[in-house]
Amino acid sequence: MKDKEKLEKLLKHWIEHNEEHAAEFREWAAKAREMGKTAVGDEIEKAANQLDKANEMLGKASEKMGGS
């Protein structure tokens, strides 16, 4: 596999992986809030939001590579 093909596959994989983590973070943020740990939930939610931002950048990188 050429490096270009590998990078295109990695970008797609990283985006999907981050989406899975962000969903899990949000699930646990809700659980933390249910435990009365609102500040903890808020920080976990912020981490999920950062993954969303990372995915925006990875998506742009994918587009520039010619990917979807």
Side-chain angles (χ1 to χ4, degrees):
M1 177 184 303
K2 294 182 180 181
D3 284 345
K4 181 181 182 294
E5 293 169 354
K6 184 170 184 172
L7 181 54
E8 288 170 345
K9 288 181 186 282
L10 282 170
L11 287 165
K12 182 179 178 184
H13 169 75
W14 292 333
I15 290 167
E16 291 171 357
H17 193 74
N18 283 348
E19 288 171 349
E20 293 168 0
H21 279 300
E24 186 175 13
F25 286 2
R26 288 188 172 96
E27 178 183 331
W28 281 98
K31 289 180 182 186
R33 290 180 183 118
E34 289 169 7
M35 289 181 230
K37 299 293 186 180
T38 303
V40 173
D42 291 348
E43 294 302 322
I44 296 170
E45 185 78 27
K46 288 178 190 177
N49 293 339
Q50 290 298 313
L51 284 177
D52 293 341
K53 288 180 184 180
N55 271 357
E56 288 177 26
M57 290 176 259
L58 291 172
K60 288 178 184 177
S62 180
E63 289 173 12
K64 291 177 181 181
M65 286 295 295
S68 53

